[in-house]
Amino acid sequence: MTENKQPTYNPGKGAGEPVGVAILGHGTVGSEVLRLMEENSDAFAHRIGGTLEIKGVAVSDLGKPREGVDPALLTDDAMALINRDDVDIVVEVIGGIDYPRELVLAALRAGKSVVTANKALVAAHADELAAAADAANVDLYFEAAVAAAIPVVGMLRRSLAGDNILRISGIVNGTTNFILDAMESTGATYDDALAEATRLGYAEADPTADVEGHDAASKAAILASLGFHTRVKFDDVHCEGISSITAEDIQAARDAGYVIKLLAICERVTDEQGNESVAASVHPTLVPKEHPLASVNESYNAIFVEAEAAGRLMFYGNGAGGAPTASAVLGDLVGAARNKVHGGRAPGENTYANLPVADFGDVTTRYHIDMEVEDRTGVLAELAAIFAARGISLKTIRQEESGDNARLIVVTHSARESNLAATVEELQKISAVKAVNSVIRLI
Amino acid sequence: MTENKQPTYNPGKGAGEPVGVAILGHGTVGSEVLRLMEENSDAFAHRIGGTLEIKGVAVSDLGKPREGVDPALLTDDAMALINRDDVDIVVEVIGGIDYPRELVLAALRAGKSVVTANKALVAAHADELAAAADAANVDLYFEAAVAAAIPVVGMLRRSLAGDNILRISGIVNGTTNFILDAMESTGATYDDALAEATRLGYAEADPTADVEGHDAASKAAILASLGFHTRVKFDDVHCEGISSITAEDIQAARDAGYVIKLLAICERVTDEQGNESVAASVHPTLVPKEHPLASVNESYNAIFVEAEAAGRLMFYGNGAGGAPTASAVLGDLVGAARNKVHGGRAPGENTYANLPVADFGDVTTRYHIDMEVEDRTGVLAELAAIFAARGISLKTIRQEESGDNARLIVVTHSARESNLAATVEELQKISAVKAVNSVIRLI
């Protein structure tokens, strides 16, 4: 089915009874959500036009001591809590995929609106969840799943609903932005910058999901799906992390007027036959230092959108953390509660465009290639011929001494990934090329 | 009445009949709205779950040749068009205050939802318009009234509805940002930069509304009202423009590590008795060059929000122009149409906090004061005593030769406007001070 059922008639329950809320999870985000609901209960009541009442907080470990939550609210039976008649909205802040999927589907099927912060769940199962929400005529909100407090989901779902997105480029992972920014500003190696990030709490003990780009890839899938009204899942995202970026790469980038950022890039692709598709990828990217994304430092996130009528837009802020994530959860909760009281629904998911996912080889990009080459006559001609054979022209070339060899750095003009990748493969095989040090795409 | 009626249940009309749209105005924005509705009619129908049909386009001059609009749709009887039974939504893109106010009120009272781009109208009459929308149970959207395509209204109304705003600082006028940026990057005088802006179309023949800050003040009133759930009108905004900024001011700022931006600043104020109020002001402001707002160049806009849970957020993009403004209008139109088809209402205006507008003297700020002073012993002591007498401490002091005199530049620590202004007045009277060259606030 190519078209999702749009929201239909959904009268509200009025302001007579409170809106019942079930909170699933009491970790960093869950406890912050509870704290802020308590602190702002009057303000929220005014903004909703009705009161919120927490009916229960589901946790896995009832024995663990917990601050800031009435023990009478705690339960380890999430399913029973979800199914209570007096629960209208379920907030899922557990994390993980399989168990939350079970709970969220149960909530939707029981007619409860759902607010989630779970990017992995949404990136993997958005279609199933959206269908369940539509069938039950309830809302599924997930602003907190992408870049925490930066309201990119609402922006794509509502604000840009009258425009057409051309491209979305985002710094959507704070860990990797912190590491690359530390390497940029201090000249540190990757390993030292990662150690610093870990020490300061910007990287987890096992940083794989962040540094290999998986976290960013989940967000890329969600952004691409929303931006292009189509279905893109985590597995559709081409993903490269930052663990092979070196201090020399950072220096070479700086010399050429760039910084290196790990970007999620979502765009329309037109293949050689003129067929349209959507591509989402995550990879280290050279960004000109004048570009707005270049000045996004530390662990901040930013999403840069190019739309047909709006032109360039950028949204910057805290992309992670308990309070910023809770801010997004609570914005959604107030929205869901307004609908429960007054009637109506948020825009449902809409994949009407139903574009196929691009073959990554069809994506157009530009490469920055850093090589050690033999320092002799004819090498440049040999290399240039290899590029030309695949229709790739060179934008800039820089050569400098490197011991007995020469270091050659080229930036190509735009070309298809498949041609660029094949060219690099060929370069690696010829004797004139001692090593390809790095290949980094440009924004 | 301190509390606005919240949206009540409003069933949709279903997708059987098209949603009828009346466009009032066919200038730069109106013609772009029409063009994009035509171009995107299928996409919009999918996103709305129903079709849009333009029932008429009201213009003042039927004789003027117009491209891109079916002449059969043109009318000079806006009131008749508004009142047609088959019109569901009225789009106001005429501009001005009195006549649009009449039309918008008529539309709302006739049960039509309204989408407007008119900042002056909203800044002056938001309360009356919102009350009319509530009474008729229809929507009033005005994303396009503030910073065009940058979705700041939706962000404040929805995304941050679960948070509390501390402060909003915005570059919301492209003309003045272009002029200040030109002065910054080329060392041009104000007059030369204004001439360049006029030549390039960034300034109008009569640039007063832009350069004196009135345009920014309308937007400040709207942002303050939304951000603090209270009523702030154009007349409540303290407004200073850029026409007295000199190339020397720009240079002095650069030497101290700042750029000068015209900012709209909206914040909560607590007076000496502990009473809360809201202040909105527009004035040239020193912004540290590392601050995200400092890198906003040319005619771009940006709104920087500090919220309790979310922390820092910034939204950057085109704040003016036909297509960016149309993008915002169309986002609202799709939203209004979704509600007409499926039922429900956008969050209404909500001024529940009902905070008073601050006495501008109670606002806390920091001054950068540039003076010519007599070059003799004891001058510094004399001046320092004047500051100290009003409880103002100095953060930085710089003195350099200036002919027979000395040039003294001080930056104060935070203090109340009334104390700072009184201090400057006193400084201007003493013989040791030859001239106060400029007084500019810091962000």
Side-chain angles (χ1 to χ4, degrees):
Chain A
M1 189 171 139
T2 59
E3 189 132 348
N4 300 82
K5 237 172 70 143
Q6 282 299 311
T8 54
Y9 169 96
N10 194 355
K13 57 187 275 185
E17 294 160 44
V19 175
V21 182
I23 312 282
L24 309 182
H26 190 254
T28 309
V29 178
S31 52
E32 199 64 13
V33 167
L34 280 176
R35 184 182 75 77
L36 291 166
M37 285 179 75
E38 170 82 40
E39 212 170 270
N40 294 301
S41 63
D42 279 355
F44 286 2
H46 279 120
R47 297 173 196 176
I48 293 165
T51 48
L52 291 174
E53 207 170 279
I54 299 174
K55 300 299 186 183
V57 180
V59 297
S60 54
D61 181 357
L62 281 173
K64 180 178 166 184
R66 296 175 191 277
E67 300 257 341
V69 58
D70 178 355
L73 290 175
L74 292 172
T75 173
D76 59 2
D77 191 344
M79 211 44 101
L81 174 60
I82 281 166
N83 283 293
R84 282 172 59 152
D85 284 340
D86 59 357
V87 164
D88 301 294
I89 301 172
V90 171
V91 176
E92 187 271 302
V93 282
I94 297 173
I97 301 186
D98 296 339
Y99 181 47
R101 173 183 162 272
E102 214 181 295
L103 296 175
V104 167
L105 281 173
L108 294 170
R109 287 166 182 161
K112 325 296 185 176
S113 286
V114 168
V115 176
T116 179
N118 195 328
K119 62 181 171 289
L121 173 64
V122 175
H125 296 295
D127 45 358
E128 184 185 34
L129 302 180
D134 284 340
N137 207 20
V138 292
D139 288 328
L140 171 65
Y141 283 88
F142 48 86
E143 185 65 73
V146 185
I150 309 176
V152 60
V153 173
M155 184 264 301
L156 291 172
R157 274 182 147 175
R158 292 185 191 272
S159 314
L160 286 175
D163 207 329
N164 294 307
I165 309 285
L166 301 171
R167 197 176 202 232
I168 302 169
S169 327
I171 294 169
V172 292
N173 179 270
T175 304
T176 45
N177 200 57
F178 180 89
I179 291 169
L180 290 171
D181 187 38
M183 293 175 75
E184 169 67 33
S185 49
T186 71
T189 62
Y190 170 77
D191 288 331
D192 286 347
L194 172 56
E196 178 73 355
T198 311
R199 195 179 69 75
L200 292 171
Y202 289 114
E204 308 196 11
D206 177 2
T208 311
D210 292 313
V211 301
E212 292 311 333
H214 305 153
D215 171 85
S218 290
K219 295 159 185 176
I222 297 170
L223 291 174
S225 298
L226 288 171
F228 302 108
H229 303 282
T230 194
R231 161 75 53 233
V232 179
K233 293 189 157 188
F234 174 80
D235 291 338
D236 297 322
V237 182
H238 175 95
C239 187
E240 296 170 27
I242 66 166
S243 56
S244 53
I245 297 294
T246 65
E248 290 70 38
D249 291 328
I250 301 277
Q251 181 65 55
R254 184 185 305 118
D255 291 343
Y258 297 97
V259 297
I260 300 181
K261 295 295 190 189
L262 183 74
L263 294 189
I265 298 180
C266 312
E267 55 194 338
R268 283 184 202 277
V269 176
T270 310
D271 70 12
E272 295 175 314
Q273 285 72 45
N275 302 312
E276 278 218 327
S277 56
V278 171
S281 58
V282 170
H283 51 70
T285 312
L286 291 172
V287 179
K289 58 178 172 49
E290 312 77 43
H291 193 285
L293 284 172
S295 58
V296 177
N297 297 333
E298 298 167 2
S299 65
Y300 283 99
N301 281 191
I303 291 104
F304 186 82
V305 178
E306 293 152 90
E308 263 177 29
R312 308 167 78 175
L313 291 163
M314 194 171 87
F315 303 80
Y316 158 101
N318 282 303
T325 307
S327 172
V329 168
L330 292 166
D332 280 351
L333 180 57
V334 168
R338 280 170 172 156
N339 290 342
K340 285 292 180 185
V341 174
H342 306 290
R345 269 191 67 195
E349 197 203 46
N350 198 333
T351 55
Y352 73 84
N354 202 36
L355 296 171
V357 171
D359 189 316
F360 190 64
D362 285 328
V363 174
T364 303
T365 188
R366 297 180 295 152
Y367 275 16
H368 174 282
I369 309 170
D370 184 337
M371 299 172 274
E372 290 282 308
V373 301
E374 283 179 348
D375 186 12
R376 57 167 176 79
T377 321
V379 165
L380 196 51
E382 202 178 331
L383 298 184
I386 290 174
F387 283 100
R390 294 188 190 273
I392 300 167
S393 55
L394 299 181
K395 181 176 178 178
T396 66
I397 304 169
R398 205 169 92 236
Q399 179 170 325
E400 49 193 51
E401 288 183 359
S402 178
D404 293 332
N405 298 318
R407 185 180 178 198
L408 192 69
I409 299 176
V410 305
V411 173
T412 72
H413 278 294
S414 289
R416 288 172 68 242
E417 273 284 345
S418 52
N419 287 337
L420 288 161
T423 300
V424 170
E425 237 186 86
E426 214 171 313
L427 290 170
Q428 278 163 321
K429 290 182 190 148
I430 66 174
S431 62
V433 174
K434 294 301 177 193
V436 174
N437 297 324
S438 73
V439 176
I440 308 179
R441 297 173 182 85
L442 281 78
I443 191 170
Chain B
M1 188 172 138
T2 59
E3 188 133 349
N4 301 82
K5 239 175 70 155
Q6 281 298 310
T8 55
Y9 169 65
N10 195 351
K13 56 186 279 183
E17 292 159 45
V19 176
V21 182
I23 312 282
L24 311 181
H26 190 253
T28 309
V29 178
S31 51
E32 199 64 14
V33 166
L34 280 175
R35 184 182 75 77
L36 291 165
M37 283 179 75
E38 171 81 41
E39 213 169 88
N40 293 302
S41 63
D42 278 356
F44 287 2
H46 279 119
R47 297 172 196 176
I48 292 164
T51 48
L52 291 175
E53 208 170 276
I54 300 173
K55 300 300 187 182
V57 180
V59 296
S60 53
D61 182 357
L62 281 173
K64 179 179 166 184
R66 296 176 190 276
E67 299 256 342
V69 57
D70 177 357
L73 289 175
L74 291 171
T75 172
D76 59 359
D77 191 344
M79 209 48 98
L81 174 60
I82 283 167
N83 283 292
R84 281 172 60 152
D85 283 341
D86 60 355
V87 163
D88 300 295
I89 301 172
V90 171
V91 175
E92 187 271 302
V93 283
I94 296 174
I97 302 185
D98 296 338
Y99 181 47
R101 172 181 163 273
E102 213 181 296
L103 296 175
V104 167
L105 282 173
L108 295 169
R109 288 165 183 161
K112 325 296 185 176
S113 287
V114 169
V115 175
T116 179
N118 195 329
K119 63 183 173 288
L121 173 64
V122 175
H125 296 294
D127 47 358
E128 182 185 37
L129 301 180
D134 284 340
N137 207 21
V138 292
D139 289 328
L140 171 65
Y141 284 87
F142 48 87
E143 186 66 72
V146 185
I150 308 177
V152 59
V153 173
M155 185 264 303
L156 291 172
R157 274 183 147 174
R158 294 186 191 272
S159 315
L160 286 175
D163 208 328
N164 294 308
I165 309 287
L166 302 171
R167 198 177 201 233
I168 302 169
S169 329
I171 295 168
V172 291
N173 179 272
T175 303
T176 45
N177 201 58
F178 179 89
I179 290 169
L180 290 171
D181 187 39
M183 292 175 75
E184 169 67 33
S185 49
T186 70
T189 62
Y190 170 77
D191 289 330
D192 286 346
L194 173 56
E196 179 72 353
T198 312
R199 193 178 70 72
L200 291 172
Y202 289 114
E204 309 196 11
D206 177 1
T208 312
D210 291 313
V211 301
E212 293 310 333
H214 305 152
D215 172 84
S218 290
K219 295 159 185 176
I222 297 171
L223 291 173
S225 298
L226 288 171
F228 301 108
H229 303 281
T230 194
R231 161 75 52 233
V232 179
K233 293 188 156 189
F234 174 79
D235 290 337
D236 297 324
V237 182
H238 174 96
C239 187
E240 295 170 27
I242 66 166
S243 56
S244 54
I245 298 293
T246 64
E248 290 70 38
D249 290 328
I250 301 277
Q251 181 66 54
R254 183 186 306 115
D255 291 343
Y258 297 96
V259 296
I260 300 181
K261 295 295 189 190
L262 184 74
L263 295 189
I265 297 179
C266 313
E267 55 194 338
R268 283 184 202 277
V269 177
T270 310
D271 70 12
E272 294 174 314
Q273 285 73 44
N275 302 313
E276 280 220 327
S277 55
V278 172
S281 56
V282 169
H283 51 71
T285 313
L286 291 171
V287 179
K289 59 177 171 49
E290 312 76 44
H291 192 287
L293 284 172
S295 58
V296 178
N297 298 332
E298 300 170 359
S299 64
Y300 283 100
N301 281 191
I303 290 103
F304 186 82
V305 178
E306 291 152 272
E308 263 178 27
R312 310 166 76 175
L313 291 165
M314 192 170 88
F315 303 80
Y316 157 101
N318 282 301
T325 307
S327 172
V329 168
L330 292 166
D332 280 350
L333 180 58
V334 168
R338 279 170 172 157
N339 290 342
K340 285 293 181 185
V341 174
H342 306 291
R345 269 189 68 193
E349 196 203 46
N350 198 333
T351 55
Y352 73 85
N354 202 35
L355 296 171
V357 172
D359 189 316
F360 190 64
D362 284 330
V363 174
T364 303
T365 188
R366 299 181 293 153
Y367 275 17
H368 174 283
I369 309 170
D370 185 335
M371 301 171 272
E372 289 283 306
V373 301
E374 283 179 350
D375 187 12
R376 57 165 176 81
T377 320
V379 165
L380 195 52
E382 200 178 331
L383 298 184
I386 291 174
F387 283 100
R390 294 190 190 273
I392 300 167
S393 55
L394 300 179
K395 182 175 177 178
T396 66
I397 304 169
R398 206 170 92 236
Q399 179 168 324
E400 50 194 50
E401 288 183 3
S402 179
D404 292 333
N405 297 319
R407 183 181 180 195
L408 191 69
I409 299 176
V410 304
V411 172
T412 71
H413 276 294
S414 289
R416 288 172 69 241
E417 273 285 343
S418 52
N419 287 337
L420 289 161
T423 301
V424 169
E425 237 189 84
E426 214 171 310
L427 290 170
Q428 280 165 319
K429 289 183 193 152
I430 66 173
S431 61
V433 175
K434 296 300 178 191
V436 175
N437 297 324
S438 74
V439 177
I440 308 179
R441 295 173 183 85
L442 281 77
I443 189 171

